[in-house]
Amino acid sequence: MSLCSATMSSPEAPRPAYNPRMHQGGKLSFRSRAQGHDDDPGEFLVLGGENPPSLRELAPVGHAHLEIEIGPGKGAFVLAATEARPEVFVLGIEAAPGYASLAATKLRQSGRTNGLFLVDNGKLFLQDRVDEGALAAVHVYFPDPWPKRRHKGRRFFTDEVPAVLARALGRDGYCYVATDNAAYAGQIARVLGSSPWFVRDEHEEARVQAAGPGHAFSPTNFERKYLEEGRVIRRYAFRKAGR
Ligand SMILES: C[S@@+](CC[C@H](N)C(=O)[O-])C[C@H]1O[C@@H](n2cnc3c(N)ncnc32)[C@H](O)[C@@H]1O
């Protein structure tokens, strides 16, 4: 495990590599904001590297309710969720180190300890670093749509993802998704909706939206931007079907 706290708190110490190596097998090359000079994420940022720690190693003992956000960007959802729901531990897994560092710095400054950011490929982390049934929820807000045909394989919601999510989620666990991209929304609804492991739960979609900030669908940076542009946002809550 490669914690930044040792390197980031001292001004003379080297900053974490801008493009650290990722979870073995994960070829990720994401653009990211450059490391900011005020960033000091302390122990709230973990660089996963080729052999990232497991969720069990990352989450403090005592949090029965564990959630993951894949691709938190600048961290708005994790920040709101850790504030609104102190009983929940939220791990944000972000492929772009610069964003993860910014988000982790904000979390450190908040004084809350029920969250953490990890630089890694979220799909690979779910596959082999999360115990079966360990999660209450997985959040994916405004996943990169990769519109070019040759890049479609880079999307998060590919055909193998329902099985990956179903293994990591506990009974009645949820996958919450929001996107502005109509084509990708269709793919997500098809991939999750046609799988034997998930059912769409429209009551839950209404419930969490009414629950307000810090609950699922809490506004993220991309959502704010897209709403200002007048884009239509599609939001889905898929519940793991009891088996
Ligand atoms: C369009 S941005 C959305 C950020 C944030 N969710 C929001 O709504 O403001 C997508 C983010 O997902 C991250 N990302 C894409 N694929 C990922 C993966 N496989 N694992 C972790 N992060 C990923 C990108 O680096 C980027 O920060």
Side-chain angles (χ1 to χ4, degrees):
M1 174 156 95
S2 168
L3 285 171
C4 285
S5 51
T7 55
M8 293 300 294
S9 47
S10 149
E12 304 85 40
R15 291 179 175 277
Y18 181 62
N19 251 330
R21 294 178 72 84
M22 288 274 175
H23 200 129
Q24 206 158 30
K27 284 191 206 150
L28 283 171
S29 159
F30 286 96
R31 273 174 301 168
S32 168
R33 79 187 248 289
Q35 189 82 39
H37 288 294
D38 298 333
D39 287 7
D40 179 4
E43 62 191 20
F44 291 87
L45 179 66
V46 175
L47 298 179
E50 290 187 345
N51 186 22
S54 67
L55 178 65
R56 213 179 320 129
E57 292 168 281
L58 293 171
V61 179
H63 280 282
H65 192 103
L66 303 177
E67 300 188 4
I68 281 181
E69 184 187 7
I70 308 286
K74 295 180 184 173
F77 172 74
V78 174
L79 285 154
T82 50
E83 182 174 12
R85 298 181 290 140
E87 74 285 4
V88 174
F89 182 83
V90 192
L91 175 66
I93 306 177
E94 174 50 60
Y99 284 131
S101 178
L102 174 71
T105 299
K106 290 191 243 172
L107 185 58
R108 181 188 65 74
Q109 288 165 348
S110 78
R112 295 189 289 281
T113 56
N114 57 327
L116 188 68
F117 289 91
L118 169 71
V119 178
D120 196 21
N121 178 329
K123 195 185 287 189
L124 296 179
F125 186 87
L126 285 177
Q127 268 170 346
D128 62 15
R129 293 297 190 276
V130 177
D131 290 339
E132 197 175 328
L135 295 174
V138 174
H139 305 263
V140 192
Y141 300 129
F142 302 91
D144 293 315
W146 295 111
K148 289 187 184 154
R149 181 180 282 271
R150 70 176 187 279
H151 289 155
K152 287 233 164 89
R154 297 184 188 184
R155 284 181 170 177
F156 181 78
F157 287 97
T158 48
D159 287 343
E160 77 276 12
V161 147
V164 172
L165 290 169
R167 193 198 66 80
L169 285 168
R171 193 182 165 82
D172 292 331
Y174 276 92
C175 176
Y176 299 98
V177 191
T179 180
D180 64 302
N181 184 295
Y184 198 11
Q187 177 176 344
I188 292 166
R190 178 186 59 75
V191 164
L192 287 178
S194 66
S195 99
W197 297 291
F198 287 95
V199 285
R200 187 172 167 196
D201 185 341
E202 293 180 36
H203 291 292
E204 175 68 0
E205 289 165 10
R207 186 192 73 77
V208 287
Q209 282 199 80
H215 295 265
F217 309 139
S218 186
T220 64
N221 292 80
F222 272 74
E223 171 154 345
R224 289 194 187 100
K225 188 173 96 162
Y226 291 154
L227 285 175
E228 274 171 30
E229 292 172 8
R231 297 198 200 184
V232 174
I233 309 293
R234 292 166 178 83
R235 300 178 181 84
Y236 302 117
F238 280 94
R239 179 168 42 81
K240 185 174 159 184
R243 295 206 133 209

